[in-house]
Amino acid sequence: MEHNFERLKAHILPLSEAHTFNLAKTEWKLVGVEMHEDFDHCPCGQQIKELCYLENQKNGNKTYVGNVCVNRFIGIDTGNLFAGLKRIALDDKANANEDLIIHAYNMGYIYSEKEFNFLMQTKNKRKLSPAQLSWKQKINRRIVNQTVVRKNENNT
Ligand SMILES: [Zn+2]
């Protein structure tokens, strides 16, 4: 199924203050991302596993859309965020990329400037000391715990 712009618009407009989509979309800010093992639905109708949580800056309304719609229609660039997330979800020793590090810091998954600087300084490093590696794993696991929803975890 195609990403249906009309369906997305019909979902976003009533949650926005503005009455035209071009203005309405400027009210929304990315407030979190999640990767799900199970499929979910974007308001456009597309099945998605990469969810982008949005908050309306004018009225506090919240929703989520898939990573294609967030970029194509809302105009928010998630860049390499999901690529970085996939990498550390598969291997907690892997390096987070810059987009992911900045997002995780803004979301509070990275607790301090020291952690932030460590990840940034080692984002292209192949060899880390054992202490650095375990520090990186600890931070990566924390990021993954906040952003990756395994099968059935969200069933209550
Ligand atoms: Zn969509």
Side-chain angles (χ1 to χ4, degrees):
M1 196 176 167
E2 261 299 286
H3 296 272
N4 187 317
F5 178 51
E6 291 307 318
R7 283 179 71 173
L8 180 83
K9 208 160 85 175
H11 173 79
I12 293 289
L13 264 182
L15 297 171
S16 307
E17 295 298 304
H19 302 289
T20 58
F21 186 76
N22 274 340
L23 197 52
K25 69 182 183 184
T26 67
E27 297 172 5
W28 295 87
K29 191 183 149 203
L30 184 74
V31 293
V33 298
E34 274 181 6
M35 263 179 18
H36 288 212
E37 280 189 353
D38 288 319
F39 276 111
D40 212 311
H41 280 95
C42 178
C44 76
Q46 181 79 17
Q47 287 202 312
I48 52 166
K49 286 184 168 181
E50 296 172 354
L51 282 68
C52 301
Y53 288 86
L54 302 173
E55 188 177 299
N56 188 295
Q57 299 303 289
K58 296 216 160 187
N59 58 25
N61 281 334
K62 291 188 171 118
T63 189
Y64 63 84
V65 303
N67 73 324
V68 172
C69 280
V70 85
N71 193 327
R72 197 186 290 174
F73 301 129
I74 314 279
I76 294 171
D77 184 11
T78 52
N80 295 314
L81 199 50
F82 284 105
L85 201 48
K86 265 177 215 164
R87 204 158 63 215
I88 67 163
L90 285 172
D91 176 7
D92 62 17
K93 296 189 185 81
N95 292 325
N97 61 31
E98 191 168 324
D99 286 349
L100 178 59
I101 296 166
I102 291 168
H103 178 77
Y105 186 66
N106 289 336
M107 292 296 113
Y109 310 150
I110 292 172
Y111 291 159
S112 62
E113 270 179 56
K114 203 174 149 200
E115 286 189 347
F116 177 81
N117 291 335
F118 166 65
L119 290 186
M120 287 300 246
Q121 280 155 11
T122 58
K123 69 184 157 73
N124 297 317
K125 275 226 164 114
R126 294 220 174 85
K127 285 219 159 203
L128 295 175
S129 73
Q132 287 178 317
L133 200 56
S134 74
W135 190 14
K136 181 158 286 206
Q137 280 178 292
K138 192 174 116 188
I139 305 170
N140 281 348
R141 284 187 199 133
R142 194 192 305 143
I143 296 171
V144 167
N145 280 340
Q146 300 283 350
T147 51
V148 177
V149 179
R150 311 281 185 192
K151 272 194 194 304
N152 300 321
E153 238 176 47
N154 50 352
N155 294 349
T156 42

